[in-house]
Amino acid sequence: NAGVTQTPKFQVLKTGQSMTLQCAQDMNHEYMSWYRQDPGMGLRLIHYSVGAGITDQGEVPNGYNVSRSTTEDFPLRLLSAAPSQTSVYFCASSYGSGGDQPQHFGDGTRLSIL
Amino acid sequence: GQSLEQPSEVTAVEGAIVQINCTYQTSGFYGLSWYQQHDGGAPTFLSYNALDGLEETGRFSSFLSRSDSYGYLLLQELQMKDSASYFCAEGNDKIIFGKGTRLHILP
């Protein structure tokens, strides 16, 4: 099994550009989430989804959109990139919601915005 | 809202025992999870406590006290490969992480 696959692994954008970070999982997990990680800030939740067709906002949703049209895919869209969005982005999935369900993380996308 | 507090860094000696603390404030508490992250890597799940008490998994144990809004991760027989960042997390649908504790291990 591939687990959680994130693409691209690295990306450089210019301010104002838009892009989509891809996330796919092959474990038939219902729950998926997106986090960003900045030095000294830990992992901050951007958006999450408890199942196909259902999404909700996390701690830092501004500037990001998500959709969940299938169980497997959970793309994250940056609408108009800003330097403050330079970060490492992690996608995660778990069988269900709840802290007792181990979240499986992808390898991350390292995004730089100039 | 939800918030979790952890020390930013902890240093211990190889072969020793170290405790990483986590205090939380939340309007509806479900349980406390712990994750490990090596530099440049992705977080990996270590343990979960829903009830008070100690959960043991090999060299790692995790403790929870709901009355004190407090938990800790205990690492025994420290090895150099345990050098990493450790995060506590809580929530049900909306899972929030602490800022992480970087564990330094001295030979």
Side-chain angles (χ1 to χ4, degrees):
Chain A
N1 283 346
V4 178
T5 302
Q6 291 185 236
T7 55
K9 295 191 184 304
F10 301 93
Q11 184 71 48
V12 178
L13 290 179
K14 294 182 179 179
T15 297
Q17 287 184 314
S18 62
M19 82 160 293
T20 299
L21 308 186
Q22 301 292 343
C23 176
Q25 52 91 10
D26 62 357
M27 297 173 282
N28 202 31
H29 284 172
E30 289 295 323
Y31 184 89
M32 296 186 75
S33 57
W34 275 103
Y35 291 87
R36 60 176 289 174
Q37 185 170 36
D38 304 294
M41 296 298 292
L43 293 150
R44 290 185 290 171
L45 181 64
I46 304 172
H47 286 285
Y48 63 96
S49 168
V50 299
I54 306 169
T55 64
D56 209 342
Q57 296 182 348
E59 301 172 275
V60 288
N62 291 343
Y64 307 95
N65 275 356
V66 292
S67 59
R68 185 92 182 273
S69 56
T70 67
T71 298
E72 295 77 19
D73 300 297
F74 192 41
L76 178 72
R77 296 183 188 83
L78 279 71
L79 309 173
S80 177
S84 60
Q85 293 178 304
T86 293
S87 188
V88 180
Y89 290 84
F90 286 101
C91 177
S93 74
S94 59
Y95 182 74
S97 58
D100 62 325
Q101 302 293 317
Q103 291 206 72
H104 300 260
F105 284 79
D107 290 336
T109 294
R110 284 146 182 83
L111 182 62
S112 292
I113 299 164
L114 307 176
Chain B
Q2 299 159 279
S3 70
L4 300 102
E5 296 292 330
Q6 306 178 233
S8 57
E9 292 184 276
V10 171
T11 300
V13 178
E14 188 177 15
I17 299 172
V18 71
Q19 178 175 312
I20 298 173
N21 298 322
C22 175
T23 58
Y24 60 86
Q25 287 185 321
T26 180
S27 54
F29 180 76
Y30 291 88
L32 199 66
S33 307
W34 288 93
Y35 285 77
Q36 179 192 59
Q37 184 182 29
H38 287 99
D39 284 349
T44 57
F45 176 83
L46 291 176
S47 66
Y48 175 76
N49 295 68
L51 304 175
D52 286 0
L54 193 68
E55 294 281 344
E56 299 183 60
T57 309
R59 293 188 298 113
F60 293 6
S61 302
S62 56
F63 173 83
L64 177 66
S65 169
R66 284 174 166 263
S67 59
D68 296 322
S69 298
Y70 163 75
Y72 65 73
L73 182 68
L74 192 73
L75 292 77
Q76 302 181 73
E77 302 172 14
L78 283 171
Q79 302 175 10
M80 297 304 293
K81 67 178 182 179
D82 298 329
S83 295
S85 293
Y86 294 84
F87 297 87
C88 57
E90 76 90 19
N92 193 35
D93 292 346
K94 189 174 179 179
I95 298 174
I96 304 300
F97 282 70
K99 293 183 179 180
T101 299
R102 188 171 185 87
L103 174 60
H104 302 278
I105 300 176
L106 304 176

